[in-house]
Amino acid sequence: MENGRAQFPFPYQPYNIQQDFMQALYSALNQGKVGIFESPTGTGKSLSLICGALSWLTDYEEKKRKETAALLQEGEAALSTSAAQSSTSSSSAEPDWITDFVQKKAERDLVSKLKEEELKRKKREERLEMIRNNVQLKYAIKRKSCEEDEAFKLLQLSKDEQVEAAGEQEDEELIIAEYESDDESKSKSRLYGADDDEDEELVEEHVTKIYYCSRTHSQLAQFVHEVQKSPFSKDISLVTLGSRQNLCINEEVRRLGSIQRINDRCMEMQKNKHEKQHLEEGVKRKRGPAKGVCPYNKASALQQMRDDVLGAVHDIEQLLKLGREKHSCPYYASRLAVPPAQLVVLPYQMVLHEATRRAAGIQLKGQVVIIDEAHNLSDTLSCIHSAELTGAQLCRAQSQLSQYADRYKSRLKAKNLMYIKQILFVIEGLVRVLGGKVGQNPQSQTTQAGTQMLTINDFLFKARIDNINLFKLQRYFEKSMISRKLGGFVEKYAGSGVTLHTQSSSNKENRRTEGLNRYLQSLQSNQSAASVLQADQQGSVEADKILSASPMMQVESFFMALTNSNTDGRVVVHRQGTLSESSVKFLLLNPAVHFAQVLKECRAVIIAGGTMQPVSDFKQELLFSAGVGKERIVEFSCGHVIPPENILPLVLCSGPSGQELDFTFQNRDSPRMMDETGRILSNICNVVPGGVVCFFPSYEYSRQIVSHWEASGALSRLANKKKIFQEPKKASQVEQVLNEFSRCIQKCGQDGGGLTGALLFCVVGGKMSEGINFSDDLGRCVVMVGMPYPNIKSPELQEKMSYLDKHLSHSQGRSPGQALIENLCMKAVNQSIGRAIRHRGDYSSIVLCDRRYSRPATLSKLPTWIRDRTSSHATFGPAFAALRKFFLEKKQKQV
């Protein structure tokens, strides 16, 4: 197979840039490279990825088939020759029988192995062909699921009886099993919910495949729809992976709402299923009521649904529909389909996090990974592997675990009690670092405000937990599933306000337990009130989400984070006046340490996005630091499909009155600078039809400048030309604002009414700077006010800069820390200005208001297709003339 390909299957005649993209991608996959691919939105990036990658996969499989057939033929020929030589030489001198025996055995083993591989491949292809073409199979599955309806209804009818009979037996599910820390040879938890024999039948070896990852489920769904439209839709076996929350069809479980509760209930039902299987096999168990088993998790139905999943291309919604039709679980069926699938579509957190990869049955060895929408890959890796704990969460976790150990101390084995005591000891140390004590209300405990940045080792010494083996604790968390057990315990006894008690306990013990329970509930109610206040102030409900999760899960994540290398992370100790609001946060400084395994195991890794500039931080932070050599890295950046005359990027160095535009932190608050910005927008709104989207560097500056314009009358003058909209505080309101913005522009285009469109104020890095399309009239001009540099005074950012300066080499006279600041700024700019120009026929202008954009080093970090057409203007007049001419020409063409 050569490194290139002349033609690629495509649903239409590809653009030249699409052909170039596919050629470069094919070559990168063939040579096992790490590729950074940039293709602007609107250039058919997804389709190019699909057709380029699947063309390579098809050719690679064909090449393997030919090589195997050739080797098999050679092996059989060698055996025949060897046999002939042996018979002719038997009458002559005595042969070297040992050499002859070894040679023949090696040849026979090779042929046998090749035949076995060929047989497996043929069986796999025959089965997939049968799935695709055998319509009768589908009818058989339908009949089978109809026959199972009665059993399903009987299970539904028996639920009330199961709930009533629950009683004391339920506690068995909350008790941690005997822990054997040294028994590493035991098999891991079953993934599929089937017994050993069924596992052998269902689990297959992994074929060569492509893992396609993106950020959100909606982006993954769009990609799957592109696959369905591609020439490969009939021949490719594809599976889409998602969480239980996305794929569960058991309404009883779905109603639980939170991811954690859904996961816990599903795992519990699987455990009950195994117990039921053992009971049916004649294994005795303790007396008690029948436990709930999921009616959708049956091995035979899962196997049939897996075949259906592989037989056609489905997105998540179609998987759910299929699961309901078949009465079979889409979550487990999709995981069963991973080994034989050629294309696996999944959120990139599932690939980037090792524990999640293991749980999902993802094997990367020798496979291809494509990470799309990867402009924030470094930040994503850091977030996935960072962890934060508040004082309130620590106190809740300590309280819950103490109550758990107290209640079941007579039923827990000594080793379990030992590890629980260690966990409580570590939690106590963390609370001590925050200046508090366990056993008291964290709301009433005051701490001295301040922030400390510590290495992992220094933090462990400060907390006085350096003598605890965190690696053993981590293994205990994983094997004992104590976080899940504790979550079930709290849900049963405290979630609904039920007093913790046992029938056999004394009154004194009852009173003590009630006190602990009241304290637990007071923590929850106090924190809930604080969360509501925070939600009102910040327009988010993140704190409520944290409350609904088990605090022990957060503790477990933090413990795991502390097992990182001392040089790769820092711990931020943040005291906020009260213990409840104070926090400890693990900050990952070296995301490459967790990306290195992906890069090492995979045959090839493709990092793709609409805007990948500046790429220097990708190479330095994620690739070179992970041990990838320069020779393995390839870069590809293509232009846009739009004609050059459809985009007008301008850099403004001064405004209409001659005021120099320098939005540095020292200058941007001056009334003169804010007035000049108002005049620039006013002039732009005079000549730009439809929608103008204006980005400010921060929420604070957006509020400040809009308030200034209100007082000066500039805002009302702008409102006379275009209706003004502002980015909402709450994410739930974004859709509504966008709809109103769109309706206003359409209405103005139809009847005028004195207005020429709408003006939308947004914030860089906010809710509208990524993932929102301002195509056509919605975004005829994007204005960037100033440069959105991050807060350099942030302790986390300062530590990151210091780490990079220490571990990475300097380039172009700038330290890696300084480069990080500039790259973060320009990445945010590129994402924001990329909201316009979404297809071939679109056109738009981009106005960058700050003289600093005219610096060659800054211009070089714009996307190539924008940079090559950008002109800088020292004075406002020529820039405004170019803007007016641009839209006048577009208007004349439309007429």
Side-chain angles (χ1 to χ4, degrees):
M1 193 198 315
E2 296 179 0
N3 288 329
R5 199 180 202 222
Q7 295 293 326
F8 292 88
F10 216 72
Y12 52 83
Q13 181 62 37
Y15 304 133
N16 288 338
I17 60 171
Q18 290 175 321
Q19 185 71 24
D20 294 343
F21 185 103
M22 290 186 286
Q23 287 279 13
L25 177 63
Y26 189 101
S27 176
L29 297 180
N30 207 32
Q31 297 177 57
K33 299 285 189 181
V34 175
I36 302 174
F37 279 67
E38 181 181 57
S39 179
T41 304
T43 57
K45 170 167 59 73
S46 295
L47 207 50
S48 300
L49 281 169
I50 291 163
C51 295
L54 294 183
S55 292
W56 170 82
L57 185 61
T58 304
D59 289 353
Y60 178 76
E61 289 295 338
E62 182 60 29
K63 180 191 174 188
K64 277 208 312 185
R65 271 195 292 271
K66 287 179 179 176
E67 286 177 351
T68 302
L71 282 169
L72 189 59
Q73 193 174 358
E74 285 175 20
E76 287 175 338
L79 274 177
S80 303
T81 306
S82 176
Q85 288 174 347
S86 178
S87 62
T88 56
S89 63
S90 60
S91 58
S92 59
E94 186 176 342
D96 186 348
W97 64 272
I98 296 175
T99 307
D100 193 39
F101 173 78
V102 171
Q103 183 183 348
K104 283 181 180 178
K105 185 177 185 308
E107 288 169 348
R108 278 196 299 271
D109 287 348
L110 174 63
V111 171
S112 176
K113 187 177 179 184
L114 290 170
K115 282 183 175 178
E116 187 182 337
E117 290 294 325
E118 186 69 5
L119 189 63
K120 281 184 183 177
R121 183 188 63 75
K122 283 182 178 176
K123 277 187 178 178
R124 190 166 58 242
E125 287 182 354
E126 283 169 7
R127 189 169 65 80
L128 286 173
E129 194 63 30
M130 180 191 73
I131 291 165
R132 291 192 183 104
N133 299 326
N134 191 353
V135 180
Q136 300 214 347
L137 175 68
K138 294 187 178 179
Y139 286 122
I141 295 170
K142 192 170 184 179
R143 281 198 303 274
K144 178 75 174 171
S145 60
C146 287
E147 289 166 8
E148 290 174 352
D149 273 349
E150 289 304 313
F152 174 74
K153 286 172 184 173
L154 285 171
L155 274 169
Q156 292 292 98
L157 287 171
S158 66
K159 277 178 190 171
D160 291 338
E161 295 173 51
Q162 290 173 16
V163 171
E164 287 172 14
E168 186 66 24
Q169 179 63 26
E170 286 186 8
D171 275 9
E172 289 298 323
E173 297 165 2
L174 306 177
I175 305 295
I176 303 167
E178 184 171 357
Y179 180 66
E180 296 291 343
S181 58
D182 298 323
D183 188 6
E184 296 301 324
S185 64
K186 282 188 177 180
S187 61
K188 296 175 183 175
S189 299
R190 291 184 181 92
L191 173 64
Y192 304 113
D195 62 30
D196 294 340
D197 294 333
E198 289 168 338
D199 280 353
E200 287 176 14
E201 287 178 25
L202 295 176
V203 179
E204 301 175 28
E205 64 176 311
H206 285 246
V207 302
T208 303
K209 63 174 86 307
I210 294 167
Y211 290 101
Y212 172 86
C213 325
S214 195
R215 197 161 45 102
T216 65
H217 283 293
S218 62
Q219 288 166 340
L220 294 174
Q222 288 171 14
F223 179 83
V224 172
H225 296 154
E226 291 291 324
V227 175
Q228 289 170 335
K229 291 187 287 185
S230 79
F232 296 89
S233 61
K234 303 294 182 189
D235 304 314
I236 193 73
S237 53
L238 177 149
V239 59
T240 302
L241 296 184
S243 65
R244 284 182 176 88
Q245 192 177 39
N246 292 114
L247 287 172
C248 178
I249 57 171
N250 187 328
E251 290 304 320
E252 177 199 341
V253 178
R254 284 174 66 89
R255 279 197 295 269
L256 296 173
S258 73
I259 292 177
Q260 182 202 324
R261 295 183 71 193
I262 289 173
N263 286 343
D264 288 351
R265 182 63 180 141
C266 179
M267 296 292 284
E268 178 192 325
M269 283 178 151
Q270 277 203 77
K271 179 172 172 285
N272 296 346
K273 175 186 171 181
H274 293 308
E275 287 183 2
K276 183 182 176 185
Q277 286 170 344
H278 289 310
L279 188 66
E280 288 168 354
E281 291 162 8
V283 179
K284 291 184 179 180
R285 71 166 194 185
K286 293 180 182 178
R287 288 169 54 193
K291 297 179 181 180
V293 175
C294 184
Y296 301 101
N297 192 359
K298 296 178 181 177
S300 58
L302 286 175
Q303 190 169 8
Q304 290 167 349
M305 184 169 168
R306 174 197 63 180
D307 290 349
D308 258 17
V309 168
L310 293 168
V313 176
H314 301 87
D315 64 16
I316 279 185
E317 291 303 317
Q318 291 164 334
L319 273 180
L320 287 170
K321 184 181 177 185
L322 184 67
R324 291 187 181 107
E325 287 175 1
K326 308 295 180 190
H327 285 301
S328 185
C329 176
Y331 177 80
Y332 284 108
S334 62
R335 273 151 179 72
L336 282 174
V338 169
Q342 295 167 292
L343 180 57
V344 180
V345 179
L346 68 171
Y348 52 44
Q349 289 85 344
M350 292 181 77
V351 164
L352 300 176
H353 193 263
E354 186 183 1
T356 310
R357 283 202 301 273
R358 284 201 309 268
I362 294 166
Q363 295 180 12
L364 298 182
K365 187 71 176 174
Q367 309 291 21
V368 170
V369 167
I370 297 175
I371 303 172
D372 202 358
E373 301 297 328
H375 53 274
N376 284 332
L377 181 57
S378 181
D379 295 338
T380 301
L381 278 160
S382 295
C383 288
I384 290 172
H385 296 95
S386 293
E388 186 170 12
L389 280 172
T390 65
Q393 286 174 316
L394 283 166
C395 289
R396 286 176 63 224
Q398 192 274 342
S399 172
Q400 290 175 8
L401 189 57
S402 296
Q403 291 177 78
Y404 177 88
D406 222 31
R407 182 178 180 86
Y408 299 124
K409 62 186 174 187
S410 62
R411 298 165 70 181
L412 290 169
K413 299 293 182 183
K415 191 162 278 190
N416 279 317
L417 287 170
M418 180 194 76
Y419 276 109
I420 287 173
K421 283 180 181 178
Q422 284 191 17
I423 294 168
L424 289 169
F425 179 77
V426 174
I427 291 173
E428 189 177 343
L430 300 184
V431 172
R432 192 187 306 119
V433 165
L434 291 175
K437 291 182 180 178
V438 296
Q440 300 174 19
N441 192 325
Q443 290 280 348
S444 59
Q445 294 189 62
T446 57
T447 60
Q448 190 174 352
T451 301
Q452 264 187 306
M453 183 77 64
L454 301 168
T455 65
I456 297 173
N457 288 346
D458 287 346
F459 176 76
L460 296 176
F461 282 119
K462 189 176 178 67
R464 286 183 268 173
I465 55 174
D466 53 294
N467 59 327
I468 300 292
N469 188 327
L470 291 172
F471 291 94
K472 280 191 174 181
L473 268 190
Q474 181 187 340
R475 196 156 59 240
Y476 177 74
F477 269 112
E478 288 176 0
K479 291 202 166 191
S480 68
M481 295 194 293
I482 186 171
S483 296
R484 293 187 184 279
K485 302 281 186 183
L486 190 59
F489 169 76
V490 172
E491 186 178 341
K492 180 178 179 182
Y493 289 108
S496 59
V498 177
T499 303
L500 292 174
H501 69 279
T502 59
Q503 291 178 343
S504 61
S505 58
S506 66
N507 291 333
K508 183 179 178 182
E509 186 179 346
N510 275 339
R511 286 196 297 273
R512 181 171 55 78
T513 315
E514 284 172 18
L516 281 169
N517 190 44
R518 280 198 300 273
Y519 163 58
L520 174 66
Q521 290 180 51
S522 73
L523 286 183
Q524 290 175 320
S525 60
N526 284 336
Q527 271 202 293
S528 296
S531 299
V532 171
L533 179 63
Q534 187 180 9
D536 287 341
Q537 290 173 341
Q538 299 180 2
S540 74
V541 289
E542 289 302 312
D544 290 333
K545 289 180 184 176
I546 291 169
L547 268 179
S548 66
S550 163
M552 191 54 71
M553 291 274 191
Q554 306 295 112
V555 171
E556 183 178 344
S557 297
F558 190 79
F559 281 18
M560 188 180 293
L562 291 178
T563 60
N564 277 276
S565 165
N566 188 53
T567 56
D568 290 335
R570 297 289 182 271
V571 180
V572 186
V573 179
H574 191 47
R575 296 182 178 180
Q576 286 262 87
T578 67
L579 174 60
S580 179
E581 295 171 342
S582 300
S583 64
V584 285
K585 179 181 180 181
F586 174 79
L587 178 68
L588 181 69
L589 298 177
N590 182 19
V593 74
H594 293 287
F595 196 45
Q597 191 176 2
V598 176
L599 294 165
K600 183 181 177 182
E601 288 190 10
C602 291
R603 173 196 172 90
V605 176
I606 304 299
I607 302 167
T611 306
M612 297 300 292
Q613 293 293 335
V615 297
S616 55
D617 59 339
F618 279 99
K619 291 193 288 188
Q620 283 280 357
E621 275 193 73
L622 292 181
L623 304 184
F624 296 154
S625 295
V628 179
K630 288 183 180 179
E631 70 285 348
R632 197 187 170 198
I633 301 170
V634 294
E635 293 179 48
F636 177 86
S637 179
C638 66
H640 212 294
V641 290
I642 61 164
E645 63 271 14
N646 277 21
I647 182 173
L648 181 67
L650 303 168
V651 174
L652 293 183
C653 298
S654 60
S657 71
Q659 170 70 43
E660 186 181 56
L661 299 178
D662 183 4
F663 289 90
T664 53
F665 195 74
Q666 298 82 4
N667 298 330
R668 69 184 189 185
D669 294 343
S670 73
R672 286 182 63 189
M673 193 68 73
M674 291 191 280
D675 288 338
E676 194 76 341
T677 308
R679 284 190 281 270
I680 291 168
L681 270 182
S682 183
N683 277 280
I684 288 172
C685 290
N686 279 336
V687 298
V688 176
V692 174
V693 183
C694 178
F695 283 97
F696 295 106
S698 67
Y699 284 103
E700 181 191 349
Y701 190 62
S702 173
R703 285 192 294 268
Q704 188 178 350
I705 200 168
V706 170
S707 297
H708 179 81
W709 288 343
E710 277 181 323
S712 68
L715 196 66
S716 60
R717 289 193 291 275
L718 284 171
N720 289 333
K721 296 168 186 176
K722 293 187 183 289
K723 187 171 180 180
I724 295 174
F725 294 86
Q726 290 194 55
E727 182 178 307
K729 291 180 180 179
K730 295 182 179 178
S732 58
Q733 296 174 343
V734 168
E735 193 74 27
Q736 181 187 344
V737 171
L738 283 174
N739 288 337
E740 290 176 9
F741 178 69
S742 177
R743 276 198 298 270
C744 175
I745 290 169
Q746 288 173 351
K747 189 178 178 184
C748 291
Q750 291 165 1
D751 57 19
L755 294 174
T756 61
L759 171 62
L760 176 62
F761 295 143
C762 301
V763 175
V764 176
K767 302 170 188 69
M768 294 183 170
S769 63
E770 284 191 42
I772 305 292
N773 293 342
F774 294 109
S775 58
D776 300 316
D777 280 344
L778 296 185
R780 290 303 181 202
C781 182
V782 177
V783 181
M784 180 65 60
V785 176
M787 298 187 74
Y789 282 105
N791 179 14
I792 200 168
K793 293 181 180 178
S794 156
E796 287 94 336
L797 190 55
Q798 285 186 342
E799 194 65 29
K800 178 81 173 179
M801 291 171 66
S802 174
Y803 174 86
L804 293 175
D805 287 342
K806 198 176 293 182
H807 292 88
L808 300 184
S809 57
H810 289 51
S811 62
Q812 298 178 345
R814 291 198 173 276
S815 72
Q818 289 173 318
L820 171 71
I821 296 295
E822 291 175 2
N823 289 342
L824 286 173
C825 170
M826 290 309 296
K827 245 197 290 191
V829 168
N830 291 339
Q831 283 304 307
S832 299
I833 63 179
R835 297 308 92 210
I837 308 283
R838 310 305 283 183
H839 59 84
R840 183 177 175 83
D842 207 354
Y843 64 91
S844 181
S845 57
I846 297 167
V847 181
L848 304 172
C849 301
D850 199 307
R851 64 175 181 80
R852 292 173 291 175
Y853 282 112
S854 63
R855 297 180 302 203
T858 303
L859 282 173
S860 70
K861 292 176 180 176
L862 289 170
T864 311
W865 64 281
I866 295 177
R867 179 178 69 230
D868 293 346
R869 300 167 195 178
T870 302
S871 57
S872 298
H873 298 269
T875 57
F876 184 76
F880 183 68
L883 193 68
R884 184 168 48 195
K885 181 185 176 187
F886 178 79
F887 285 103
L888 192 60
E889 287 175 354
K890 298 302 172 196
K891 187 177 180 181
Q892 288 170 349
K893 279 186 180 179
Q894 287 174 350
V895 174

